[in-house]
Amino acid sequence: MLTLIRGIPGSGKTSYALKHFPGALLLEGDQVHMLPDGSYQFKSTNTKTSLYLKTMFEAALLMGVQHVVITTAYPKADLIHALIEANKKNGDGQYRIAWMDYEDGDASGNQHDVPKEVVESMKANWERFPGESYIFRYKTGELKEVSFPPRWYIDKHPNDSYTL
């Protein structure tokens, strides 16, 4: 089983995964940004993030891991397609994709200190994936599954169809 939780930096993806999937193997896109001293330094390394997650996921499947949860801020759907194909080839083929984001779209002050211009660039390149669910993080810290993407995405893609 593959569970992929993707979203804007600092939206709570890893915290959500740890709470809701305690027995699963957790692979985090953030691991690409960890320095040897344990500090976090975000760099725009989408290619490295995608390659790292795909490689680690395939290795986990080959070792017989039953449930892998992946968290990433990677905005493109190509990674999702690659992971689903790997899961069909070497896993059970089951998957769930969730997009986690801030309810108001404001990621300023995120726990990773990713600059606002980087977050805006990610938003500009964000691609929806058919069938993904949406989880919003509210200012209160509450997480809630909803049936539509964040308002910032809807505003940028007014011709897409949404359930509101």
Side-chain angles (χ1 to χ4, degrees), residues 9 29-36 39-50 72-75 112-115 118-119 121-122:
D30 284 343
Q31 292 163 333
V32 172
H33 307 292
M34 297 303 291
L35 299 177
S39 63
Y40 183 92
Q41 182 180 30
F42 184 86
K43 291 185 178 179
S44 184
T45 56
N46 284 339
T47 303
K48 290 180 185 176
T49 301
S50 178
T72 183
Y74 191 80
H112 301 305
D113 294 323
V114 176
V118 173
V119 172
S121 175
M122 291 174 121

Side-chain angles (χ1 to χ4, degrees), residues 47-160:
T47 303
K48 290 180 185 176
T49 301
S50 178
L51 179 61
Y52 168 78
L53 292 172
K54 185 176 180 294
T55 302
M56 295 302 289
F57 179 60
E58 289 173 337
L61 291 176
L62 292 173
M63 293 185 330
V65 175
Q66 297 297 309
H67 187 189
V68 179
V69 176
I70 297 175
T71 62
T72 183
Y74 191 80
K76 299 289 192 173
D78 62 339
L79 173 62
I80 301 171
H81 290 291
L83 294 171
I84 289 171
E85 286 305 310
N87 195 27
K88 285 180 185 175
K89 182 178 177 185
N90 296 310
D92 63 8
Q94 297 179 37
Y95 65 90
R96 177 176 183 226
I97 312 297
W99 173 354
M100 183 171 258
D101 209 326
Y102 296 92
E103 168 264 341
D104 62 0
D106 181 13
S108 61
N110 66 73
Q111 66 184 18
H112 301 305
D113 294 323
V114 176
K116 188 172 184 165
E117 60 273 7
V118 173
V119 172
E120 291 305 315
S121 175
M122 291 174 121
K123 287 179 176 183
N125 291 298
W126 203 268
E127 296 175 352
R128 281 178 62 207
F129 188 80
E132 69 186 339
S133 61
Y134 307 102
I135 304 168
F136 283 175
R137 177 183 203 93
Y138 292 85
K139 290 186 185 212
T140 62
E142 175 190 15
L143 298 173
K144 183 177 179 184
E145 193 160 344
V146 297
S147 59
F148 50 89
R151 176 60 58 191
W152 66 260
Y153 187 89
I154 294 171
D155 291 346
K156 289 183 179 190
H157 302 90
N159 294 328
D160 282 6

